[in-house]
């Protein structure tokens, strides 16, 4: 997590300067994004909350996303549409300025949807709405979790500039 702190500090400075808040919905990062943001002193000024949405049950209970939402073409876990839905939903449920989400397959193997280990979709919702897909090509679970979290924080920072 040490490597995430400089990015989290940049996010904190930007959010505080803008008087904005954030909520995080993450999956294969297992809470690393939230932990990094909370490790910065003064996090209560910008971090509203977050959740690790790792299973269907968590999605239903914590995000209030019904199974019917997956009838939309292209909507499945570990997809760009799902990442955007998570980011939008966490933002709306927590009433914050920004929603940040991550969903993917950290490894050592791929997921049941056919994505290889090292696949992650990351989205932001708020003043900017954008989604991206990352493929590390690695099956190293811990390394992928770290890279996914770093990429999510970097992606968020990029969207502050838009």
């Amino acid at each position: 997590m040490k490597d995430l702190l400089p990015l989290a500090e940049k996010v904190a400075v930007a959010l505080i300067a803008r008087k904005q808040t954030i909520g995080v919905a993450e999956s294969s990062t297992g809470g690393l994004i939230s932990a990094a943001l909370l490790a910065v002193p003064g996090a209560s000024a910008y971090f509203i909350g977050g959740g690790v949405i790792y299973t269907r049950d968590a999605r239903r209970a914590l995000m209030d996303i019904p199974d019917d939402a997956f009838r939309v073409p292209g909507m499945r876990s570990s997809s760009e549409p799902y990442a955007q839905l998570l980011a939008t939903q966490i933002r709306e449920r927590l009433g914050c300025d920004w929603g940040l989400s991550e969903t993917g397959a950290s490894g050592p193997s791929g997921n049941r949807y056919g994505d290889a280990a090292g696949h992650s979709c990351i989205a932001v919702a708020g003043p900017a709405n954008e989604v991206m897909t990352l493929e590390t090509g690695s099956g190293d679970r811990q390394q992928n979790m770290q890279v996914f979290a770093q990429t999510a924080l970097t992606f968020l920072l990029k969207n502050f500039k838009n």
Side-chain angles (χ1 to χ4, degrees):
M1 178 153 93
K2 231 178 191 180
D3 296 342
L4 297 175
L5 287 177
L7 286 170
E9 288 168 348
K10 288 178 183 177
V11 168
V13 167
L15 287 170
I16 290 168
R18 295 165 178 253
K19 296 183 174 145
Q20 293 179 331
T21 56
I22 190 166
V24 178
E26 52 192 307
S27 177
S28 56
T29 51
L32 285 174
I33 298 167
S34 295
L37 291 170
L38 287 168
V40 178
S44 60
Y46 60 87
F47 187 85
I48 301 301
V52 177
I53 314 304
Y54 199 68
T55 64
R56 181 180 311 156
D57 289 340
R59 173 183 47 84
R60 289 178 187 142
L62 300 175
M63 300 300 291
D64 195 29
I65 298 173
D67 292 340
D68 288 352
F70 286 81
R71 292 197 176 133
V72 174
M75 180 71 74
R76 62 175 181 76
S77 293
S78 303
S79 69
E80 287 190 1
Y82 180 60
Q84 194 66 63
L85 177 61
L86 282 175
T88 300
Q89 192 75 346
I90 196 73
R91 179 180 180 239
E92 290 174 2
R93 290 183 70 78
L94 297 180
C96 45
D97 298 292
W98 291 93
L100 175 63
S101 73
E102 181 283 329
T103 179
S106 52
S109 60
N111 61 27
R112 64 183 180 164
Y113 310 105
D115 301 308
H119 168 88
S120 178
C121 294
I122 298 164
V124 295
N129 294 285
E130 195 169 347
V131 64
M132 65 165 287
T133 297
L134 169 69
E135 302 287 350
T136 68
S138 171
D140 185 321
R141 185 177 185 85
Q142 291 178 359
Q143 181 182 8
N144 282 334
M145 290 172 72
Q146 186 79 14
V147 170
F148 295 171
Q150 286 173 332
T151 302
L153 291 170
T154 301
F155 188 61
L156 177 64
L157 284 168
K158 174 187 161 265
N159 278 278
F160 285 162
K161 296 173 184 163
N162 293 339

